[in-house]
Amino acid sequence: MTRSSNSQTDGPDGRAEWMGLLARAPEADLEAAWRALEPELTAVGYDLLRAPQQGLAMARGRAGGDGQAFNLGEMTVTRCSVRLTDGTVGHGYVAGRSARHAELAALFDSLLQTETWADRIMERVIAPVRASRAMARARVAAKTAATKVEFFTLVREQAAGPE
């Protein structure tokens, strides 16, 4: 059975967030999670609606982060769509050319939409990926903070001359 549409988009565990996490997760982590869950997933069958295929997407940028948008260039993306035997459809879009990564992202997306699998996938796949990304961001922030230079202005009082 498919979850309600509100639960897919609202809150911190919304579909937009988990699709972003699946797209950015290392393929090896998703593959390891799939292998760990595989014995439980024997009853879950799926068909490829759209086999993994590569294409190009325009990457946009902004000068200074808030200026006028401009076309930065094209990047390679891979997409895949799957349908579980219960009819739930999942999609995966990833940067690069990894067909397996796109397929795994689509599979986990479809499973996350089901009441039967959502909690297990959230606990065993999404939570570890979220934690891993948070630790990586913290490492970068710590490394950046170590190079921070504090500038200050020293104000000198000038001795008042005779008036």
Side-chain angles (χ1 to χ4, degrees):
M1 181 170 199
T2 303
R3 298 170 91 186
S4 70
S5 61
N6 289 341
S7 65
Q8 294 175 10
T9 56
D10 296 344
D13 294 332
R15 188 171 185 200
E17 185 207 10
W18 80 54
M19 288 185 80
L21 288 169
L22 291 168
R24 291 177 184 90
E27 180 182 347
D29 291 356
L30 294 183
E31 189 67 52
W34 181 258
R35 294 282 176 235
L37 288 165
E38 206 166 24
E40 299 174 48
L41 294 170
T42 54
V44 176
Y46 70 94
D47 294 316
L48 292 174
L49 289 178
R50 178 182 297 134
Q53 53 187 197
Q54 289 85 26
L56 295 173
M58 181 60 67
R60 309 244 322 149
R62 292 187 179 275
D66 60 357
Q68 178 94 14
F70 63 94
N71 292 337
L72 184 62
E74 294 178 330
M75 63 180 281
T76 306
V77 294
T78 304
R79 68 181 180 178
C80 180
S81 296
V82 300
R83 180 177 29 225
L84 300 180
T85 52
D86 71 358
T88 306
V89 176
H91 305 284
Y93 292 86
V94 299
R97 297 179 170 267
S98 176
R100 181 64 177 160
H101 189 177
E103 185 176 349
L104 287 169
L107 284 166
F108 286 129
D109 175 48
S110 62
L111 291 169
L112 281 160
Q113 294 177 64
T114 66
E115 290 180 13
T116 307
W117 290 98
D119 292 337
R120 279 183 272 194
I121 302 300
M122 204 49 87
E123 177 185 321
R124 297 186 194 175
V125 180
I126 300 300
V129 168
R130 185 184 294 129
S132 173
R133 291 198 43 83
M135 288 189 328
R137 279 193 304 274
R139 278 194 303 273
V140 168
K143 190 174 180 181
T144 302
T147 64
K148 183 177 180 183
V149 177
E150 296 281 344
F151 291 97
F152 61 93
T153 304
L154 181 62
V155 178
R156 293 191 222 186
E157 286 188 41
Q158 295 184 359
E163 294 186 23

